[in-house]
Amino acid sequence: MKDKSPSGLNEWLHFLKNKKFPVRAVNLSRLKTQIKRTEDTLDGMQANIASDPLLAFAILNEANRIMPNKNSEIKTPFHAAAMVGMNGIARLFSHFAAYETKDRHKQPHLMAFLRELQTSYEAATIARHWSIEKLTNNEDDIFWITLFRDAARWLLWFYAYPTMLEINQKIQQGEKSSQAELNILGCRIDELTVHLCTYWNTPNKVIESFLTKHIPNKKELQELAHLAHHPDELPGFTEDKRLTILVNNPLIFSYCANKVAHEANLMRWDSKNLPFFYRVVATVMHRRLGEIIQTAHFASTEAAKLYNTGGKIPLAQQLLDPDLYTGNSKPKVSLTPIAALKKALSQNKEYDAKHKTGLALKTIKQAIPNTQHSIIFKHANDKISPMFQFGYNIDVIKSIQWSAPSSVFKKLSNKRSAIHIYGQKLDNLLKDFPHTSDQIIDTNSHLILASTKISEKETAIFWLETRTEFNETDYKNLKQIVSLISHSTL
């Protein structure tokens, strides 16, 4: 049966807090070699440490753990490496999971992870340039704070890819990100990040970038944005003491840049939500709105040159679209569920049988809405067992002897088949079904059965049942779904 995903803050904390940090294999191997060579120094390792964000993040956390009194001010990973020393860095190797990027067909979770890394680099670069424009003298700190505040999000994409994909789809459909996270995760990602960073001994400045004690709440953001409401005029000054304190805290750059980069990545640069954050930054910097936008765009082009992870097309490339701000851009074509399945399978031909059938079940729910109950079985080594199901009582499913002799299932197991049965025909066939399986079939049931090989030694059997009726389109859609995941077609 399908494993249940974590739900709620405590379950996600338990799921993620001991997960290894994904680090590019070549960077980890190079660092191990550098530590073994006596002639190498920490200064010589700086470029390698900085080239992998989770490598740098782990070293920064370790420095903060062993010297907690140093956390009043964010330190760069280079300073952290000097605190930890070569032996301290070597002790961290067991906390890393190496990944390769040379494979022709990268796994979807890895591509999503690399995409998030690049978006975080883009956010960090935007925050750094805004900080430079205001002459804060702490632009390097702001860069690393902004980059590392996404660390929990990186791990979620790497270790919980389907869940994060579902959140993104909800946001693209118009749901607020906070609501989508609460509905699917059972908690906010920001809330989860604060708890994880506390567990990891992350420096306080990263944690503070999430707390409304140090950054504006929703009402305060609206007040700051209102002060820069007219794009052609310089923003006004605030007389509110609390807002003045927030405006002079550089963490506001980290917060706003993060929102801008993720919004532009998900909804493009012409998203209607971006001007709100631009106006907040315009008030903070007392600059015209156009200058804030120009700096953000310039920073994205710098990030494209310096931090291209290969996970996605850089944000800067969108700016080359002549129709970006004209409203003439071609709308995104919404793929049908079956077309989306075909695209997912064509993009990655390395999916195993379980992953393919999981995608098929998701597509069935979307493409065949008349389905009230469904089971996908696996036939291997002359045994039949349920892999996935929805709609039925799971205890009832487990009690049925699915591997009992059955002429219907024998035929389905031996060759690719599809059949739609109901009424008297279904009643006549019940005796040929596995023992006690008739208890989940109603007198009004419509049943569609189909099967196909999903690997050299495994066959998937699909059982779709409804108490209303299936039509011809439903039957054709299932045959198309089964054909797409068939081992013979891949």
Side-chain angles (χ1 to χ4, degrees):
M1 293 295 172
K2 190 174 183 180
D3 294 335
K4 182 178 179 295
S5 295
S7 179
L9 178 62
N10 290 334
E11 288 189 20
W12 281 109
L13 277 172
H14 180 74
F15 177 77
L16 288 176
K17 69 179 185 180
N18 292 317
K19 286 285 189 288
K20 293 188 175 184
F21 286 177
V23 172
R24 201 180 294 258
V26 65
N27 294 338
L28 189 58
S29 177
R30 186 184 298 124
L31 186 60
K32 289 179 178 179
T33 302
Q34 289 172 327
I35 286 179
K36 288 178 182 177
R37 289 199 306 239
T38 55
E39 65 270 22
D40 276 317
T41 64
L42 282 170
D43 287 342
M45 299 179 189
Q46 285 190 1
N48 191 38
I49 291 171
S51 65
D52 200 296
L54 279 172
L55 189 62
F57 185 59
I59 293 172
L60 187 67
N61 292 343
E62 179 65 8
N64 192 63
R65 184 186 70 81
I66 63 177
M67 303 183 73
N69 292 331
K70 297 288 185 179
N71 66 9
S72 60
E73 183 179 346
I74 187 70
K75 301 294 181 183
T76 69
F78 315 127
H79 293 152
M83 294 180 202
V84 173
M86 289 192 176
N87 291 336
I89 294 174
R91 286 194 296 271
L92 295 173
F93 289 153
S94 63
H95 298 172
F96 301 129
Y99 65 85
E100 293 283 357
T101 57
K102 295 180 181 178
D103 296 339
R104 185 177 178 183
H105 300 293
K106 298 185 180 71
Q107 292 293 321
H109 74 280
L110 177 57
M111 294 302 296
F113 169 74
L114 295 174
R115 181 188 67 229
E116 287 301 304
L117 289 185
Q118 188 168 330
T119 302
S120 300
Y121 272 122
E122 288 162 337
T125 309
I126 292 171
R128 184 176 186 272
H129 276 278
W130 281 340
S131 182
I132 290 172
E133 292 283 335
K134 199 181 180 185
L135 305 175
T136 61
N137 295 322
N138 54 9
E139 57 267 17
D140 287 339
D141 284 1
I142 290 299
F143 176 89
W144 293 110
I145 290 170
T146 310
L147 181 69
F148 292 145
R149 76 193 306 274
D150 274 339
R153 189 181 293 271
W154 301 336
L155 293 190
L156 282 168
W157 276 107
F158 193 84
Y159 290 111
Y161 170 74
T163 302
M164 292 300 289
L165 196 62
E166 190 177 355
I167 291 174
N168 263 17
Q169 289 170 345
K170 292 289 185 183
I171 295 171
Q172 288 175 324
Q173 291 167 3
E175 192 169 316
K176 289 185 178 180
S177 59
S178 58
Q179 194 59 51
E181 291 167 14
L182 283 171
N183 290 343
I184 296 169
L185 294 175
C187 64
R188 291 283 313 281
I189 293 178
D190 286 359
E191 180 186 17
L192 179 62
T193 302
V194 169
H195 283 82
L196 282 170
C197 285
T198 303
Y199 173 80
W200 289 327
N201 298 293
T202 303
N204 283 347
K205 288 294 183 183
V206 176
I207 297 173
E208 288 173 1
S209 70
F210 293 96
L211 307 180
T212 51
K213 179 181 178 182
H214 304 280
I215 59 170
N217 58 33
K218 184 178 179 180
K219 181 181 178 182
E220 290 164 343
L221 283 169
Q222 290 172 340
E223 291 175 2
L224 289 172
H226 184 73
L227 292 170
H229 195 67
H230 301 288
D232 295 330
E233 299 175 9
L234 285 176
F237 287 101
T238 175
E239 297 179 359
D240 186 297
K241 184 178 180 181
R242 159 73 176 163
L243 291 181
T244 301
I245 293 172
L246 292 171
V247 162
N248 289 303
N249 188 336
L251 289 177
I252 198 168
F253 291 136
S254 179
Y255 175 83
C256 289
N258 184 275
K259 294 294 185 183
V260 165
H262 283 283
E263 180 70 18
N265 179 62
L266 197 60
M267 306 300 288
R268 290 170 49 92
W269 281 110
D270 54 353
S271 166
K272 63 181 181 180
N273 296 322
L274 287 181
F276 175 81
F277 295 104
Y278 290 144
R279 289 198 296 270
V280 172
V281 178
T283 297
V284 171
M285 295 175 64
H286 203 62
R287 300 285 184 88
R288 287 185 172 86
L289 194 61
E291 295 176 77
I292 304 306
I293 298 172
Q294 183 182 38
T295 301
H297 289 179
F298 172 78
S300 74
T301 63
E302 181 179 289
K305 291 186 290 184
L306 297 179
Y307 310 111
N308 195 333
T309 65
K312 69 179 182 73
I313 297 172
L315 276 177
Q317 189 160 327
Q318 285 186 28
L319 299 172
L320 300 175
D321 181 359
D323 293 324
L324 178 61
Y325 291 106
T326 64
N328 296 327
S329 298
K330 292 182 180 179
K332 292 182 180 179
V333 178
S334 180
L335 295 176
T336 65
I338 293 177
L341 174 64
K342 185 175 182 179
K343 181 179 179 181
L345 293 171
S346 66
Q347 288 178 339
N348 192 317
K349 300 184 183 298
E350 302 300 320
Y351 284 134
D352 59 23
K354 187 173 182 180
H355 201 143
K356 286 192 293 184
T357 50
L359 290 173
L361 182 64
K362 178 182 177 182
T363 307
I364 287 168
K365 291 180 179 180
Q366 297 171 337
I368 313 177
N370 288 330
T371 305
Q372 294 176 330
H373 312 92
S374 181
I375 311 172
I376 301 181
F377 302 89
K378 179 179 74 173
H379 175 265
N381 301 320
D382 293 325
K383 291 184 178 181
I384 293 175
S385 58
M387 295 174 65
F388 302 95
Q389 78 90 20
F390 74 86
Y392 288 123
N393 183 312
I394 193 167
D395 292 326
V396 174
I397 299 299
K398 288 180 177 179
S399 70
I400 296 172
Q401 301 173 28
W402 294 108
S403 287
S406 164
S407 59
V408 173
F409 272 46
K410 183 178 180 180
K411 181 180 179 180
L412 290 166
S413 303
N414 289 333
K415 69 174 185 178
R416 187 166 162 179
S417 309
I419 185 172
H420 175 197
I421 47 178
Y422 56 93
Q424 190 61 49
K425 187 175 181 181
L426 177 58
D427 291 339
N428 294 339
L429 272 179
L430 284 180
K431 65 182 185 301
D432 297 321
F433 278 53
H435 184 56
T436 70
S437 63
D438 58 349
Q439 65 183 296
I440 59 172
I441 296 177
D442 188 81
T443 54
N444 297 319
S445 287
H446 275 232
L447 187 65
I448 300 179
L449 299 173
S451 63
T452 189
K453 273 191 168 294
I454 49 173
S455 70
E456 288 185 15
K457 298 181 179 180
E458 295 173 298
T459 296
I461 298 174
F462 293 77
W463 168 298
L464 275 62
E465 189 251 340
T466 183
R467 307 296 160 89
T468 54
E469 66 176 4
F470 287 121
N471 54 42
E472 188 64 24
T473 300
D474 296 332
Y475 184 53
K476 288 180 179 178
N477 283 347
L478 179 62
K479 289 197 292 183
Q480 194 172 354
I481 293 168
V482 170
S483 177
L484 286 173
I485 70 163
S486 175
H487 179 63
S488 61
T489 63
L490 295 176

